């Protein structure tokens, strides 16, 4: 549903976060896996993360903040700040 890009100034590498409206990687399925397989080989990325947010219609936040909602799909597991 949403994309978040963070750039590491020293290297120019980008940390990509894909906000996926699913409860988990398994529920997200092959569409997510195919996308990551296509993106991951590009040298642009520091890392690719997923934030799994099965948001209800009455919830207006973009990110799920629970620790288990975040998964590193490719690259470094260090989060850029």
């Amino acid at each position: 549903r949403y994309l978040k890009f963070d750039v590491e100034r020293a290297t120019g590498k980008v940390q990509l976060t894909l906000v996926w409206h699913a409860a988990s990687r398994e529920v997200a399925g092959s569409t997510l896996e195919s996308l990551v397989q296509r993106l991951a080989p590009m040298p642009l990325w520091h890392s690719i993360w997923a934030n799994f947010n099965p948001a209800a219609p009455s919830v207006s936040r973009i990110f799920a903040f629970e620790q288990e909602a975040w998964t590193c799909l490719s690259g470094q597991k260090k989060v850029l700040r």
Side-chain angles (χ1 to χ4, degrees):
R1 287 298 287 214
Y2 299 96
L3 302 173
K4 179 178 181 259
F5 299 89
D6 293 293
V7 178
E8 185 176 49
R9 291 182 184 180
T11 65
K13 297 275 187 176
V14 176
Q15 178 177 288
L16 170 64
T17 301
L18 306 167
V19 179
W20 214 264
H21 282 207
S24 67
R25 189 174 188 166
E26 293 75 28
V27 174
S30 62
T31 303
L32 175 61
E33 296 301 326
S34 295
L35 179 59
V36 172
Q37 285 177 5
R38 292 184 73 185
L39 292 173
M42 298 177 187
L44 170 70
W45 307 118
H46 167 277
S47 55
I48 301 173
W49 288 76
N51 178 262
F52 297 106
N53 186 3
S58 61
V59 177
S60 63
R61 68 182 186 184
I62 294 174
F63 293 105
F65 296 106
E66 299 78 18
Q67 185 173 354
E68 61 274 5
W70 296 89
T71 301
C72 183
L73 303 172
S74 177
Q76 298 180 35
K77 293 191 178 186
K78 175 186 135 195
V79 176
L80 295 180
R81 298 208 183 251

